[in-house]
Amino acid sequence: MTSTATVRATEVVLPAAVEPSGLEVRTRDLPQPAAGQVVLRMDATGVSFAEQQMRRGKYYDQPAFPFVPGYDVVGTVTAAGPGVDAGMVGRRFAAVTKIGSWASHQLIEAADLVPVPDGMDAAAAETVVVNGITAWQMLHRIAKVRAGGTIVVLGANGGVGSTLVQLARHAGISVIGTASPRHHDAVRALGATPVDYRDPDLYARLRALAPGGVDAVFDHVGGAGLARSWSLLRKGGTLVSYGTAATKDDEGNSQLPVLLLLARILAWNALPNGKGAHFYNFWAGRRRKAAFRQRLAEDLTQVLRLVDEGVLTPQIAARIPLAEASAALELAESRTVAGKVILVP
């Protein structure tokens, strides 16, 4: 082990299903890192839709309250446990954690860390950790859209959406992106054709822009609109559903919307029309831990390389101190920002 000093960690705790103002800030001493573990000092973490669902108790498989949220993190290793390469200390890494990253320091398995290129801004890297992996895998591993194709991205101004637009344009794919009018210039700057998501004739507008149908639709909304997303596909097209935002405020079982969505996807895939529908689950295949880690590292490394080369422009909505996580969550939920809200030390 490289250090025996006690680390005092500051953590943001979600105590129950509360409003953003109900988040609590606590401190505790971290145990020493066990074999295979490191202490990671947070340089940047983010506010994603997952935390917005978790604070309502609506995320599909969230732990029981209370817990520390925080889906992903970029940080610097400050201590290494037995069996960990001491050369990792002092270097910056990224990781996807699902929970626990809204903290100044955390214990994490060294095998879950992916190197961040030297000199890359921590907040810039943070914008493409879970968002970048999600966008890359949906576009290249699931939909497999080829150059010259056309896709629709719902929420093209969001964290995943803006990354998906940029990855698609880099791959030679045309993009139609939905967003509120205030974000149309930003969506246009990314290379997509913007459409007002609140337009009562939204789907007619989308069909007019691609009368022959599109190669893929990426839908994080779910609910009743999912069938209309399905209707936009050409023969051979792919619908990728990756969220249930339409039901985030509904009362009742948090798993029910996902189960209904999966049933609908199974029914669509049984139709003889050449279309395909998929539900993207970031954690699919995690039981095969080694293969899961390898795939995640490969995809995140690709995305970080594109950031480093200037191909991807990180979409940072705001940088807010960890202690002000309540304000950061409120801002992320306001739907007034483009990109990702970042928490910094």
Side-chain angles (χ1 to χ4, degrees):
M1 188 164 58
T2 59
S3 173
T4 58
T6 299
V7 174
R8 188 76 172 167
T10 299
E11 300 176 327
V12 175
V13 178
L14 190 53
V18 295
E19 293 301 311
S21 59
L23 294 174
E24 299 174 359
V25 179
R26 303 177 186 175
T27 60
R28 70 180 180 100
D29 291 335
L30 283 186
Q32 294 296 322
Q37 290 185 328
V38 301
V39 175
L40 190 72
R41 184 192 69 221
M42 185 270 285
D43 297 327
T45 184
V47 183
S48 66
F49 186 67
E51 289 95 12
Q52 297 173 40
Q53 289 182 301
M54 286 180 185
R55 74 134 181 112
R56 298 175 172 88
K58 297 290 292 182
Y59 191 74
Y60 182 77
D61 58 353
Q62 71 185 69
F65 297 115
F67 64 93
V68 177
Y71 216 87
D72 57 2
V73 63
V74 172
T76 302
V77 173
T78 61
V84 176
D85 179 7
M88 295 181 73
V89 176
R91 295 177 57 200
R92 179 169 282 169
F93 295 87
V96 181
T97 54
K98 187 180 282 190
I99 61 169
S101 287
W102 286 10
S104 64
H105 300 77
Q106 65 178 301
L107 294 175
I108 191 168
E109 295 293 319
D112 288 327
L113 299 178
V114 178
V116 172
D118 292 340
M120 183 176 291
D121 175 63
E126 165 58 26
T127 64
V128 297
V129 181
V130 69
N131 288 346
I133 295 168
T134 298
W136 180 276
Q137 292 183 346
M138 290 195 303
L139 183 66
H140 293 301
R141 290 189 181 270
I142 296 179
K144 299 179 181 178
V145 181
R146 297 179 179 178
T150 300
I151 65 173
V152 170
V153 176
L154 303 189
N157 62 296
V160 173
S162 61
T163 305
L164 188 51
V165 170
Q166 293 181 81
L167 288 175
R169 295 299 299 130
H170 178 61
I173 299 164
S174 297
V175 183
I176 305 166
T178 70
S180 64
R182 71 165 67 92
H183 298 307
H184 281 192
D185 286 345
V187 170
R188 199 175 285 111
L190 294 176
T193 300
V195 178
D196 184 359
Y197 80 95
R198 292 174 299 187
D199 188 329
D201 295 320
L202 170 62
Y203 286 89
R205 291 281 310 280
L206 294 171
R207 278 190 290 273
L209 289 169
V214 298
D215 296 277
V217 179
F218 298 89
D219 186 322
H220 70 295
V221 180
L226 197 66
R228 305 188 77 177
S229 291
W230 171 258
S231 72
L232 296 174
L233 298 174
R234 65 166 180 79
K235 185 175 182 179
T238 303
L239 171 65
V240 183
S241 171
Y242 66 104
T244 54
T247 59
K248 67 182 176 65
D249 294 322
D250 292 356
E251 299 297 328
N253 190 324
S254 63
Q255 297 186 4
L256 183 59
V258 176
L259 295 175
L260 291 173
L261 186 154
L262 292 174
R264 177 177 288 184
I265 286 174
L266 285 172
W268 280 336
N269 283 330
L271 297 174
N273 55 20
K275 301 179 183 179
H278 302 267
F279 180 70
Y280 174 79
N281 175 9
F282 186 97
W283 301 100
R286 197 182 187 191
R287 291 182 179 179
R288 298 177 59 196
K289 187 172 289 187
F292 176 84
R293 282 170 165 163
Q294 181 178 350
R295 183 173 65 250
L296 184 150
E298 288 175 355
D299 295 345
L300 180 54
T301 297
Q302 291 274 18
V303 173
L304 288 171
R305 176 182 59 80
L306 293 176
V307 173
D308 200 36
E309 294 175 353
V311 173
L312 283 179
T313 301
Q315 304 297 300
I316 301 173
R319 304 177 194 233
I320 298 176
L322 177 67
E324 299 173 26
S326 293
L329 187 54
E330 287 180 349
L331 179 62
E333 293 190 12
S334 71
R335 306 182 76 172
T336 62
V337 297
K340 190 168 186 177
V341 176
I342 303 296
L343 293 171
V344 295

